Amino acid sequence: MVTAQTSFLVAVMYYLGAVYMTSYYRYFRLDAFSLGFSFAELSIQSLSVVTVPVAIFLTVAVLVARHLATRGTAPVQGRAALVMERWARRAARAHLWFVLAGLLLLPWWSLIQPYGWTAPLLMGFGIFLGQTPWSGAAPASATLWSKAVPVFSAGLLVMWAFSLATDQMGEQEAGQVADNLVRRTAVVVLSTDRLSLAGPGVNVEDLGAKAHYRYRYTGLRRLIERNGRYYLLPLGWSHSVGTTYVIQEGNDVRIDLMPGMQGIRSW
């Protein structure tokens, strides 16, 4: 049982991590899977979606689920537990309203962006509440159609909501990175031959024929580095027209890394 739950949790972490990384690097016109992230890296990256509101929601959900699991085997103790149960009972009795609210939001999908994830979340939450004893609608006998199918459907809707929210979070954080490029690690590219690096914020210097690395490029910031391949953004990068440069370090190209604020004057 513990192994199955752990495997399910890891699978969810991998899925959300993959959604986040895909959205994040898609903003910079990169395919996250082509970057060669491992299963562990994608799984760990899912922790980026655990913000304060998400942590509060998950904590409350776990407490309510635990209370439901122990209901009837242990007495309710404490004022907080009584208040929680009272509100849970009210929410369970109103489960159909949650589902209806989610359904009504679907036709207005384009108008409720970037909060479209609220529609499947409301529907999934409402279906789940309808399976609790407090809803008054849960069947007494546990059959495939009366229990498993509604719970599975609720799980799919909640995962859909989490996917939409994670995708949105990845894009938002990528936008924040683009707006604060100057704070990222500065990259100086030294090359024996002239490279096709041009754009707003990029500066090139010819150090002379006697220099082994004749051309020096500044005004670049590192997005990520994978196996000697550097993905760089110019200081003047924008999502609408910006170019993401891919430079492979080798005998004819050297990469120097500097503090983030370096090179701001040259821009």
Side-chain angles (χ1 to χ4, degrees):
M1 186 66 176
V2 175
T3 302
Q5 293 175 347
T6 302
S7 300
F8 175 75
L9 178 61
V10 171
V12 171
M13 291 179 63
Y14 171 79
Y15 175 73
L16 293 180
V19 171
Y20 175 87
M21 297 291 267
T22 299
S23 175
Y24 181 90
Y25 286 104
R26 184 178 62 227
Y27 189 87
F28 301 106
R29 303 180 184 86
L30 296 173
D31 181 4
F33 290 97
S34 67
L35 297 176
F37 291 111
S38 65
F39 182 90
E41 288 177 308
L42 291 176
S43 300
I44 293 174
Q45 193 60 48
S46 65
L47 297 177
S48 299
V49 307
V50 184
T51 59
V52 173
V54 173
I56 294 175
F57 173 81
L58 292 177
T59 301
V60 173
V62 169
L63 290 175
V64 172
R66 181 180 180 275
H67 180 71
L68 289 174
T70 58
R71 180 174 177 267
T73 62
V76 178
Q77 297 180 354
R79 183 181 182 86
L82 290 173
V83 172
M84 183 179 66
E85 179 174 333
R86 187 181 303 118
W87 281 101
R89 288 178 180 274
R90 293 177 180 176
R93 288 193 293 268
H95 67 280
L96 290 178
W97 290 105
F98 285 99
V99 177
L100 179 61
L103 290 173
L104 291 177
L105 287 176
L106 290 178
W108 307 95
W109 185 263
S110 60
L111 298 179
I112 62 175
Q113 299 303 324
Y115 303 104
W117 50 268
T118 56
L121 183 62
L122 285 171
M123 290 189 293
F125 188 60
I127 294 175
F128 172 75
L129 287 176
Q131 300 305 303
T132 63
W134 297 334
S135 66
S141 60
T143 63
L144 177 64
W145 288 101
S146 64
K147 286 290 185 181
V149 172
V151 171
F152 180 74
S153 301
L156 286 180
L157 288 168
V158 171
M159 282 301 300
W160 180 22
F162 281 175
S163 299
L164 293 173
T166 302
D167 182 85
Q168 175 190 331
M169 186 177 299
E171 183 174 346
Q172 287 179 344
E173 294 194 7
Q176 293 174 2
V177 168
D179 293 338
N180 296 276
L181 274 180
V182 71
R183 299 183 181 276
R184 297 186 69 85
T185 300
V187 177
V188 176
V189 179
L190 298 168
S191 176
T192 57
D193 300 313
R194 184 178 289 274
L195 303 176
S196 299
L197 295 181
V202 178
N203 296 288
V204 57
E205 299 176 66
D206 188 342
L207 304 179
K210 294 183 179 181
H212 176 68
Y213 295 105
R214 179 170 180 173
Y215 300 98
R216 183 175 186 265
Y217 295 86
T218 57
L220 299 164
R221 293 295 183 268
R222 183 183 66 176
L223 177 61
I224 190 175
E225 182 270 328
R226 303 291 294 180
N227 301 320
R229 182 173 294 174
Y230 289 79
Y231 298 83
L232 309 176
L233 302 174
L235 280 175
W237 191 90
S238 64
H239 177 65
S240 57
V241 296
T243 300
T244 301
Y245 300 112
V246 183
I247 303 295
Q248 180 70 51
E249 190 175 23
N251 294 331
D252 56 347
V253 175
R254 192 183 84 190
I255 303 293
D256 291 343
L257 305 179
M258 304 173 65
M261 297 301 290
Q262 296 289 332
I264 189 172
R265 293 182 180 178
S266 61
W267 181 41

